[in-house]
Amino acid sequence: MLRVGLTGGMGAGKSTASTALADLGATIVDSDRIAREVVAPGTPGLAALVEAFGPEILAGDGSLDRAALAGRAFRDDESRATLNAITHPRVGERTAELLAAAAPDAIVVQDIPLLVENQLAPLFHLVIVVGADESTRVHRLVTHRGVDEADARSRIATQATDEQRRAVADVWLDNSGPPGSLSPVITALWAERLVPYERNVRTATAAPSSAEPVSANPEWPAQAQRLIGRLRLACGASAQRIEHVGPTAQRVAAPDLLELVVTVADDDAVRSLTEPLTAAGFPPADGTGRRHGSADPGRPATVELRVSVNAS
């Protein structure tokens, strides 16, 4: 299974990208939809909210009045923590159920508006961010959603910045163009990167890389940091240090191959990391267990496991 995180600011067109990916065969796990589902009428989640915040948060038909809930739940940190304690575990459980039900060869796209704000990027094999310039986003919110312009700008200002989103984006989809302009880009992304990436993860195959040198890419350090985030999560406490090394770290002309080194305590740690690294998209690249590759055809990399020189 390939896990893809999808996010984007209000009005950027994340829903358009999600629909296009679903049409191509992706399994969509929509966090907003799940958040509504776990507090629908008759659910334990809604009952817990009523107990915590009172029956005034209910609409006339017994459903949740979200504006009324917001008025009570966001008045102070304690109330906000109560809301999160009720909703977050239920959203997490339902998300886990949907992931467990997905096919082994599925490309699962998790649509998460606050992926950047909640620092969730390392959980995914790949993060896609849908972006658009602010004026385009404001226009869409005003025209298509009926949001007041000042309110639209205020809401955008409370979200992650484009700089913050670009820092976690393995793929940045510019959706500033006319309707339909994103469709061929997503189709190409699906065929050329997501489908082979899923196959490589499932079969524990490292993606090939070219030995031909290219000009220094200013994006190499940021790309390496995204991979380091995933490696840090996969390795946990076994990793003493994770570094970006080699020519791409020095930003000189070189083959487009990121070289990463994970320092561990001993050979037992090396062996223990084979499975979590493979699951995270870094399958073994040789028979020693000390060299792994990236399953991502769009971002070739090597991961070398080194035993600390201080190991006894």
Side-chain angles (χ1 to χ4, degrees), residues 276-294:
L277 285 175
T278 301
F282 302 99
D286 63 20
T288 69
R290 295 195 177 210
R291 186 174 179 83
H292 291 246
S294 168

Side-chain angles (χ1 to χ4, degrees), residues 147-293:
V147 180
D148 176 78
E149 180 174 342
D151 188 25
R153 294 188 183 279
S154 177
R155 292 190 197 184
I156 288 174
T158 65
Q159 295 186 324
T161 64
D162 278 355
E163 181 180 9
Q164 291 169 322
R165 290 194 180 97
R166 285 186 183 277
V168 306
D170 299 291
V171 177
W172 179 275
L173 297 177
D174 186 351
N175 193 32
S176 299
S181 59
L182 206 56
S183 181
V185 178
I186 292 176
T187 299
L189 172 66
W190 177 267
E192 297 169 10
R193 191 167 186 178
L194 299 186
V195 170
Y197 195 174
E198 182 283 319
R199 182 174 58 248
N200 288 344
V201 168
R202 178 165 37 87
T203 61
T205 302
S209 60
S210 172
E212 293 296 321
V214 296
S215 298
N217 184 346
E219 294 297 315
W220 279 337
Q223 292 170 355
Q225 286 306 307
R226 289 194 283 274
L227 297 191
I228 287 172
R230 292 177 181 120
L231 289 169
R232 187 173 291 118
L233 182 63
C235 295
S238 295
Q240 297 180 343
R241 186 170 62 254
I242 305 177
E243 301 170 281
H244 176 205
V245 301
T248 58
Q250 299 166 18
R251 307 189 197 190
V252 297
D256 188 15
L257 178 71
L258 300 182
E259 297 176 63
L260 306 168
V261 172
V262 179
T263 302
V264 298
D266 50 36
D267 287 334
D268 286 341
V270 171
R271 288 187 288 271
S272 73
L273 289 177
T274 298
E275 185 174 339
L277 285 175
T278 301
F282 302 99
D286 63 20
T288 69
R290 295 195 177 210
R291 186 174 179 83
H292 291 246

